[in-house]
């Protein structure tokens, strides 16, 4: 017990006691989940007619959630495995958090498919009559493989910590101690055990990388293998994988910030972790913008009739507000937030009078943004009018306004690096959710065979309260699972952070 | 316990993959059965029980069709209903012998049915007879013809008559274009006192199109259908009528893989084997890791025993 430092005590604190706030938080989440369960009951009773899904637009925000959750599941495994394999030392305090995101995102994401089904009891048909040449079956197999793999990959490095819990948390309730005792596999930290566990961790770290890549590739192939405008694209595999890592890092950063604040992990999750991951996020952001440009430019340049329908909807039509919110707010803005504070030097104190102009500049910039976005014709025009002057002015206005906002915000962002990175991450996550929606729905608006023989309102998709409730329930379940996990197991790996050397510690048994 | 659970999950998942794979292997079925499974079952269902296509393995169907008509349908297809032409002579992938084997297999499903049935072979194929509780349901016959209307526009004329040849009035006839992706709605019209329903098609595309007229059936008459090959025309006519709905006609046929490689129920074996090997490989690695966990546990147990012994001494 003498080795127990005050720093490690912080990690055990959440496992020892629950505050009243925690119970209230859980009750709040359970209320949302209960409401979602009621919504799902309505859907089961009345069928998918209670959703906005119809014959032609048959995938909506359920599938958006599915792709989104599978995406952020890449937080864990891929990031933690890549950092582990490449021996990045700074990964140590964040790997467990990342791996837990993976497991819970998959636990929530995969059932979205079942919720999307009008007849969930027919799910076994997928196994009984599934065709091996169908990407749907590939998806089932790879997601199953990934869930099991990430469960193992989360569990393996946790064994020494479970032994710590078993030995230290002797005053825990019996069921908790039972769980620790069983899951710690009689860990004593002897040579044989260290060797075996190290081998297991290394094997899993290498194996899980191709498995994780395959999962999101296969998810993309569900779309990419379909001969439909906006989906049938050769870059969809890497595009989805990059997008998954992108949103995964963003989700991880948000989780880190929350745990840092709630569990007082400042000594573990330092500014450098946010800075490093922020740079990684910036790199993925740039790659993702590049893929997005490549994808849409290729599609728009071809000018094929079917593609054109989707392009029109995205750039100037029904989906333009979402599309441009996603591009500007979800990709460009976070990119600038992550890049500029590192590129521009701190303003010198002598320029203080200039700082007083910043509120004025902010006001001007906001007015410009308001004028530009509400100017007549935005989103209403049916043509992509590249030749007229108005869009050019609008573009310059938007750039100037964003520049103004950044000029104003820069000192603030430089003073709060963690807050900046986390805000950017939240924006990225919103942007990536919208991106999945933008991938799925506009294509369904443009079937190869024209929409016919259905009421006209079926040609449009608006999510109903049932879908929004179940979506809220999915997010609440994810947060609840994650919170409960952090109350049950140390959210930061103890043995990996207790020593500088990457050596497994001796367990409690040899300590006496 | 945990590793046992992981093992069980692994075994279950492997079993699933293997079961699916096993489904693709055919036992000692007659050759026709294998062919049917490969080429026909995806539409007509297992053992011809029906699916997207009609149930052709039932006594009812086999009793009403002779071998000759079944061979003819299989060889030449029924474009209007999405049945491909299968014989090599018609660009399909089956030889005449193979088609005969498939028919023989179907016959074996219903031994009682005679293989030579005298049929009147109506132009209109009666589909499902609706409302069987009503005593008098007259078979209906639909014929479809092409005429020229104002400004050279093409008029589709469907005539609906009862069994006795009398015209059926006031029946809704829907017109559609048949494509390999499904039917495109062209519009509908009601029959007049002569049993005639007409739809004007203002623009005739440059390639031939398969057009279908269908009558859903009502209380007293059974459903019927008729197809027509609309020949291409040099003079495309501008649309000016109110009842015109023809964008669907000029649209090109979506391109489908011609040999039906996407339709076969069984995967090509070499890629499938590779796929299964990769999946099994990953799960074997998992098993290896679970084995390491098992050894971790064993090493802990051994040490505990050693400790206990030391303590006793």
């Amino acid at each position: 017990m003498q080795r127990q430092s005050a720093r490690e005590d912080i990690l055990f604190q959440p496992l020892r006691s629950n505050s009243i706030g925690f119970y209230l938080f859980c009750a709040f989440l359970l209320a949302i989940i209960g409401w979602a369960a009621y919504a799902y009951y309505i859907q089961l009773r009345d069928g998918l007619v209670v959703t906005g899904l119809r014959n032609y637009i048959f995938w909506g925000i359920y599938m958006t959630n599915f792709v989104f959750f599978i995406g952020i599941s890449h937080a864990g495994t891929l990031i933690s495995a890549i950092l582990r394999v490449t021996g990045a030392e700074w990964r140590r305090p964040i790997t467990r958090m990342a791996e837990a995101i993976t497991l819970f995102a998959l636990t929530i994401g995969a059932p979205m498919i079942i919720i999307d089904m009008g007849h969930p009891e027919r799910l076994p048909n997928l196994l009984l009559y599934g065709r091996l040449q169908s990407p749907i079956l590939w998806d089932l197999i790879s997601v199953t493989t990934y869930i099991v793999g990430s469960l193992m990959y989360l569990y393996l490095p946790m064994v020494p910590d479970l032994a710590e819990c078993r030995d230290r948390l002797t005053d825990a309730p019996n069921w908790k101690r039972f769980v620790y005792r069983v899951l710690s596999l009689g860990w004593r930290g002897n040579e044989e055990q260290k060797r075996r566990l190290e081998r297991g961790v290394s094997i899993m770290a290498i194996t899980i990388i191709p498995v994780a890549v395959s999962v999101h590739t296969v998810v993309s192939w569900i779309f990419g293998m379909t001969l439909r405008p906006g989906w049938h694209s050769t870059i969809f595999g890497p595009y989805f994988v990059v997008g998954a890592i992108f949103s995964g890092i963003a989700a991880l950063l948000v989780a880190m910030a929350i745990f840092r604040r709630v569990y007082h992990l400042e000594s573990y999750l330092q500014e450098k972790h946010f800075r490093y991951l922020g740079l990684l996020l910036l790199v993925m952001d740039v790659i993702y913008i590049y893929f997005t440009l490549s994808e849409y430019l290729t599609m728009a340049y071809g000018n094929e009739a079917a593609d054109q329908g989707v392009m029109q909807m995205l750039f100037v039509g029904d989906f333009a507000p979402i599309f441009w919110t996603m591009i500007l707010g979800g990709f460009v803005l976070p990119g600038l937030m992550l890049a500029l504070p590192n590129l521009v030097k701190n303003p010198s104190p002598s320029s203080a009078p200039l700082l007083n102009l910043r509120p004025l500049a902010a006001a001007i910039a906001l007015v410009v943004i308001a004028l530009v976005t509400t100017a007549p014709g935005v989103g209403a025009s049916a043509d992509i009018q590249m030749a007229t002057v108005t869009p050019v002015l609008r573009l310059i206005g938007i750039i100037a306004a964003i520049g103004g906002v950044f000029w104003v915000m820069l000192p603030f962002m430089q003073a709060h690096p963690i807050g900046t990175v986390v805000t950017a991450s939240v924006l990225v996550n919103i942007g990536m959710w919208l991106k999945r929606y933008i991938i799925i729905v506009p294509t369904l608006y443009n079937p190869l065979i024209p929409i016919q023989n259905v009421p006209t309102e079926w040609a449009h998709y608006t999510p109903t309260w049932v879908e929004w409730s179940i979506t809220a329930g999915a997010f609440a379940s994810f947060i609840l699972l994650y919170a409960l996990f952090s109350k049950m197991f140390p959210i930061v790996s103890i043995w990996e952070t207790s020593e500088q050397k990457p050596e497994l510690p001796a367990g409690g048994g040899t300590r006496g | 316990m945990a590793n046992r659970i992981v093992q069980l999950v692994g075994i279950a998942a492997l079993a699933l993959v293997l079961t699916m794979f096993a489904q693709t292997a055919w036992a000692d079925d007659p050759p026709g059965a294998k062919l049917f499974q490969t080429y026909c079952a995806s539409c007509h269902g297992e053992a011809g029980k029906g699916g997207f296509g009609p149930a052709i393995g039932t006594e009812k169907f086999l009793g009403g069709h002779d071998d000759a008509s079944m061979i003819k349908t299989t060889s030449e297809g029924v474009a209007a209903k999405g049945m491909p032409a299968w014989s090599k002579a018609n660009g399909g992938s089956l030889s005449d012998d193979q088609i005969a084997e498939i028919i023989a297999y179907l016959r074996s499903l219903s031994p009682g049915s005679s293989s030579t049935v005298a049929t009147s072979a109506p132009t209109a194929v009666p589909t499902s007879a609706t409302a069987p509780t009503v005593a008098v349901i007259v078979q209906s016959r639909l014929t479809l013809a092409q005429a020229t209307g104002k400004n050279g526009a093409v008029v589709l004329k469907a005539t609906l008559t009862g069994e006795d040849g009398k015209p059926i009035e006031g029946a809704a006839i829907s017109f559609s274009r048949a494509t390999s992706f499904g039917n495109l709605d062209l519009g509908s019209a009601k029959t007049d006192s002569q049993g005639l329903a007409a739809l004007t098609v203002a623009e005739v595309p440059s390639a031939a199109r398969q057009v279908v007229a269908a009558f859903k059936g009502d209380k007293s008459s059974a459903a019927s259908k008729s197809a027509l090959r609309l020949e291409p025309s040099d003079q495309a006519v501008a649309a000016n009528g109110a009842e015109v709905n023809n964008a669907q006609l000029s649209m090109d046929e979506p391109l489908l893989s011609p040999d039906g490689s996407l339709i076969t129920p069984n995967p090509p074996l070499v890629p499938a084997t590779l796929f299964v090997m990769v999946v099994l490989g990953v799960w074997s690695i998992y098993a290896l890791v679970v084995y390491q966990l098992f050894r971790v546990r064993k090493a802990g147990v051994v040490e505990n025993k050693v400790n206990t012994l030391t303590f006793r001494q």
Side-chain angles (χ1 to χ4, degrees):
Chain A
M1 289 293 158
Q2 57 269 44
R3 279 180 49 174
Q4 183 174 340
S5 66
R7 190 164 171 251
E8 282 178 15
D9 231 18
I10 297 174
L11 296 182
F12 282 110
Q13 198 48 45
L15 279 62
R16 285 213 167 93
S17 63
N18 298 329
S19 65
I20 183 88
F22 174 72
Y23 289 115
L24 284 176
F25 182 61
C26 286
F28 171 68
L29 292 176
L30 282 172
I32 298 177
I33 296 167
W35 178 250
Y38 170 71
Y40 188 55
Y41 161 72
I42 296 287
Q43 183 184 313
L44 280 181
R45 192 190 63 189
D46 298 346
L48 283 177
V49 74
V50 300
T51 68
L53 304 169
R54 292 293 183 271
N55 294 23
Y56 285 88
I57 297 144
F58 45 81
W59 284 344
I61 61 174
Y62 291 154
M63 286 302 277
T64 307
N65 292 335
F66 168 71
V67 183
F68 176 80
F69 275 114
I70 299 282
I72 65 169
S73 81
H74 277 50
T77 310
L78 211 55
I79 295 159
S80 126
I82 289 173
L83 295 180
R84 205 186 286 272
V85 168
T86 53
E89 288 298 311
W90 58 272
R91 70 162 201 276
R92 294 176 179 279
I94 57 177
T95 46
R96 171 100 21 100
M97 257 173 226
E99 289 151 16
I101 289 185
T102 300
L103 184 63
F104 298 128
L106 286 174
T107 314
I108 301 302
M112 293 313 291
I113 296 282
I114 302 171
I115 289 173
D116 189 62
M117 293 172 70
H119 275 275
E121 81 281 1
R122 291 184 190 164
L123 187 69
N125 287 358
L126 193 56
L127 300 174
L128 297 173
Y129 307 107
R131 305 187 317 154
L132 209 51
Q133 63 271 48
S134 159
I136 304 269
L137 201 56
W138 307 346
D139 198 34
L140 184 84
I141 292 170
S142 66
V143 170
T144 316
T145 307
Y146 189 40
I147 288 184
V148 173
S150 39
L151 180 64
M152 287 163 69
Y153 187 60
L154 169 70
Y155 174 59
L156 280 172
M158 213 160 71
V159 170
D161 281 1
L162 289 164
E164 291 273 314
C165 291
R166 175 195 64 196
D167 297 337
R168 283 197 194 178
L169 300 175
T170 43
D171 49 352
N174 281 340
W175 66 270
K176 246 185 175 178
R177 286 172 57 204
F178 175 77
V179 171
Y180 293 144
R181 197 172 66 242
V182 170
L183 289 184
S184 58
L185 296 180
W187 179 262
R188 292 280 172 266
N190 60 38
E191 285 310 309
E192 163 91 0
Q193 288 184 321
K194 282 185 196 172
R195 201 164 48 81
R196 295 282 179 189
L197 191 71
E198 255 164 21
R199 186 182 294 169
V201 172
S202 322
I203 295 174
M204 279 317 292
I206 294 168
T207 310
I208 206 77
I209 295 176
V211 172
V213 169
S214 83
V215 168
H216 222 73
T217 307
V218 170
V219 168
S220 86
W221 282 347
I222 288 186
F223 302 103
M225 298 286 175
T226 314
L227 291 169
R228 297 195 69 158
W231 287 356
H232 192 57
S233 157
T234 54
I235 68 161
F236 251 39
Y239 193 26
F240 269 51
V241 170
V242 166
I245 302 175
F246 182 39
S247 62
I249 296 173
L252 177 58
L253 278 163
V254 175
M256 278 164 62
I258 294 171
F259 281 126
R260 185 176 193 263
R261 173 69 62 87
V262 176
Y263 291 164
H264 311 292
L265 300 177
E266 285 84 358
S267 61
Y268 285 94
L269 302 172
Q270 297 151 11
E271 196 190 304
K272 70 170 181 189
H273 296 110
F274 288 87
R275 215 173 51 238
Y276 290 170
L277 272 179
L279 287 176
L280 208 52
L281 186 67
L282 175 61
V283 171
M284 300 319 287
D285 185 41
V286 172
I287 299 177
Y288 200 73
I289 291 175
Y290 160 69
F291 271 5
T292 306
L293 179 72
S294 168
E295 171 75 357
Y296 288 122
L297 185 61
T298 311
M299 225 194 294
Y301 201 88
N303 210 23
E304 284 190 84
D307 288 347
Q308 216 49 25
V310 177
M311 295 292 105
Q312 291 273 349
M313 279 190 176
L314 288 182
F315 295 159
V316 290
D318 290 359
F319 294 94
I322 302 178
F323 181 78
W324 293 112
T325 305
M326 167 195 95
I327 295 282
L328 295 176
F331 304 157
V332 176
L333 193 62
L336 292 172
M337 289 172 76
L338 294 165
L340 284 185
N342 294 316
L343 294 177
V344 184
K345 277 185 183 167
N346 276 319
S348 59
S350 62
S351 65
L354 206 59
L355 283 175
N356 297 335
L357 290 176
R358 289 179 191 271
L360 183 67
I364 294 173
L366 287 175
V367 167
V368 172
I369 289 179
L371 282 179
V372 160
T373 48
T374 57
V378 173
S381 161
D383 297 311
I384 304 173
Q385 296 279 353
M386 287 299 187
T388 58
V389 181
T390 332
V392 176
L393 290 178
R394 195 173 293 151
L395 182 70
I396 292 171
I398 289 175
I399 292 172
I402 290 176
V405 170
F406 270 93
W407 182 62
V408 175
M409 296 292 289
L410 204 56
F412 182 79
M413 293 196 309
Q414 279 169 335
H416 301 87
I418 295 182
T420 307
V421 170
V422 173
T423 312
S425 303
V426 172
L427 289 176
V428 165
N429 268 324
I430 296 171
M432 285 308 288
W433 192 88
L434 294 177
K435 171 67 183 166
R436 273 63 182 251
Y437 184 79
I438 281 291
I439 288 176
I440 294 169
V441 179
T443 290
L444 295 174
Y445 270 60
N446 291 278
L448 286 174
I449 297 276
I451 293 179
Q452 52 174 345
N453 294 333
V454 294
T456 46
E457 64 268 23
W458 289 17
H460 295 276
Y461 169 68
T462 316
T464 62
W465 71 270
V466 172
E467 288 166 279
W468 286 121
S469 305
I470 290 177
T471 301
F475 280 89
S477 311
F478 174 72
I479 296 169
L480 182 67
L481 282 177
Y482 206 1
L484 291 178
F485 176 84
S486 75
K487 280 287 177 186
M488 186 78 196
F489 305 106
I491 195 68
V492 169
S493 178
I494 297 168
W495 66 269
E496 281 190 289
T497 51
S498 66
E499 297 168 53
Q500 285 306 314
K501 288 179 292 177
E503 199 189 336
L504 293 163
T510 52
R511 234 177 250 164
Chain B
M1 198 174 92
N3 53 359
R4 183 61 55 83
I5 292 170
V6 174
Q7 262 175 333
L8 283 177
V9 171
I11 290 167
L14 286 187
L16 275 178
V17 175
L18 288 174
T19 327
M20 281 175 307
F21 204 48
Q23 280 193 325
T24 69
W26 307 282
D28 298 329
D29 289 335
K34 183 173 159 181
L35 288 167
F36 185 86
Q37 179 70 24
T38 310
Y39 294 101
C40 317
S42 58
C43 286
H44 291 289
E46 294 285 323
K49 283 179 183 141
F52 167 74
I56 55 173
T58 58
E59 209 153 315
K60 187 179 162 200
F61 180 90
L62 292 165
H65 294 80
D66 62 6
D67 283 2
S69 73
M70 285 165 72
I71 288 172
K72 184 172 186 290
T73 308
T74 314
S75 306
E76 295 169 10
V78 188
K81 297 167 93 181
M83 168 82 172
W86 286 104
S87 72
K88 287 196 171 144
N90 289 315
S93 41
L94 296 174
S95 68
D96 290 349
D97 287 350
Q98 286 175 314
I99 291 176
E101 279 171 358
I102 292 174
I103 305 297
Y105 163 68
L106 283 175
R107 284 284 166 222
S108 74
L109 295 173
S110 172
S113 73
S114 151
S115 57
T116 47
V117 184
T119 52
S120 55
T123 36
V125 185
T127 51
S128 61
T130 50
T133 44
V134 178
V136 190
I137 294 180
V138 185
Q139 293 289 348
S140 69
R141 172 181 296 196
L142 190 63
T143 52
L144 182 58
Q146 180 179 351
T148 308
K150 267 186 291 179
N151 301 332
V154 171
V155 181
L156 295 171
K157 287 188 164 173
T159 314
L160 186 68
T161 52
E163 215 166 14
D164 47 3
K166 276 188 188 162
I168 299 173
E169 194 184 346
I173 307 292
S174 60
F175 297 86
S176 55
R177 172 188 161 194
T179 76
S180 51
F181 267 13
N183 287 339
L184 281 167
D185 188 30
L186 294 176
S188 61
K190 279 221 154 74
T191 51
D192 59 12
S193 56
Q194 265 92 56
L196 183 74
L199 185 81
T200 305
V201 178
E203 181 199 358
V204 176
S206 52
R209 299 284 187 238
Q210 193 76 28
V211 188
V212 180
F215 168 56
K216 268 189 183 167
D218 56 22
K219 279 179 202 160
S220 53
S221 322
S224 54
K225 239 183 202 180
S226 180
L228 172 76
R229 193 177 145 90
L230 198 63
E231 291 305 327
S233 159
D234 299 337
Q235 39 180 35
V237 186
N240 54 359
E243 52 192 321
V244 167
N245 175 10
N246 49 27
Q248 315 338 47
L249 261 191
S250 46
M251 201 175 77
D252 284 336
E253 180 90 1
L255 290 174
L256 265 191
S257 157
D259 60 356
S261 64
L262 287 171
I263 310 174
T264 115
N266 301 308
L269 282 179
V270 171
T273 310
L274 271 176
F275 177 83
V276 171
M277 277 166 69
V278 168
V279 173
L280 286 181
V282 173
W283 283 89
S284 313
I285 295 174
Y286 287 1
L288 184 68
V289 174
V290 171
Y291 172 71
Q292 302 299 326
L293 285 175
F294 174 73
R295 291 301 296 262
V296 165
R297 188 176 162 77
K298 203 175 167 193
V301 171
V302 169
E303 186 169 278
N304 277 351
K305 274 184 187 158
V306 172
N307 286 347
T308 322
L309 286 176
T310 323
F311 178 74
R312 274 181 191 161
Q313 280 168 358

